[in-house]
Amino acid sequence: MSEQQIHEQKQTSEQQTPEPDPLEEARARIADLEDRWRRTAAELDNFRKRCAKDLVRARQQERARTAAGWLPVIDNLERALEHASSDPEHIVEGVRAVHQQAVSVLADLGFPRRDDTGRPFDPALHEAVGTIADKELVPGTVAHVVRPGYGSDDDILRHAAVVVATRSD
């Protein structure tokens, strides 16, 4: 091949390869970005659904764990009812044992029984149901617990219903 033929062949091949159209490049880029966006949106939707299922499963497991903690209490109450006609002292002893077991279940769940007698009244922890004038008690302290509270200072399950000491005149 002569030099002229090689030169003509190069010109022909350059003419056959058109320059890329910027509009077509932009359309291709847009199509690629839309595809990526749709895939990401689908992944996010699947993640949301998976999280919702995990939350339902975790709630079911926690409910089952809590219910299982109460089963021994129910068993002991049923035993007490079976022996209800026997000696009353034994019945009272059995009921006290079941009561202690129930309090223990609540403590194991993170809600220990509160002993608030003699502590300063705190509306975040206590519900005042009455007052009493007593010279021996400091005003503003819990004189008597009517209904015990359960939980820690930061996580109250139920406020204690209390009688609060006031000044005696």
Side-chain angles (χ1 to χ4, degrees):
M1 252 184 161
S2 71
E3 269 186 53
Q4 187 172 2
Q5 287 176 337
I6 293 174
H7 182 65
E8 287 174 8
Q9 191 176 23
K10 281 184 182 178
Q11 282 181 342
T12 307
S13 66
E14 287 175 5
Q15 290 173 356
Q16 289 176 354
T17 312
E19 278 191 33
D21 183 18
L23 183 59
E24 285 302 316
E25 283 182 355
R27 285 184 180 149
R29 178 80 173 136
I30 289 170
D32 180 53
L33 291 174
E34 283 181 349
D35 181 58
R36 288 183 184 182
W37 175 76
R38 289 175 205 270
R39 289 176 190 266
T40 303
E43 285 178 20
L44 179 61
D45 188 47
N46 290 338
F47 178 72
R48 284 183 185 142
K49 290 176 185 175
R50 194 169 46 250
C51 286
K53 285 179 185 177
D54 290 347
L55 183 62
V56 167
R57 187 178 327 109
R59 283 181 179 160
Q60 288 172 338
Q61 289 172 345
E62 188 60 27
R63 287 178 60 211
R65 185 179 75 81
T66 302
W70 286 102
L71 291 176
V73 176
I74 292 170
D75 293 341
N76 288 334
L77 284 172
E78 288 173 351
R79 277 190 215 106
L81 290 172
E82 287 174 7
H83 301 289
S85 62
S86 67
D87 184 21
E89 288 182 30
H90 287 93
I91 298 296
V92 171
E93 183 181 317
V95 169
R96 282 191 180 122
V98 172
H99 173 262
Q100 186 56 42
Q101 189 177 28
V103 169
S104 177
V105 168
L106 283 173
D108 291 345
L109 292 172
F111 300 104
R113 184 179 177 137
R114 298 181 58 87
D115 181 21
D116 293 320
T117 303
R119 291 192 176 168
F121 175 78
D122 182 352
L125 305 173
H126 307 119
E127 174 188 349
V129 294
T131 59
I132 187 169
D134 192 335
K135 292 179 182 178
E136 295 179 15
L137 296 173
V138 177
T141 60
V142 174
H144 176 67
V145 176
V146 176
R147 186 188 70 220
Y150 291 87
S152 63
D153 289 347
D154 299 330
D155 193 15
I156 295 291
L157 178 63
R158 180 177 79 184
H159 293 80
V162 299
V163 176
V164 182
T166 59
R167 291 182 196 220
S168 60
D169 292 325

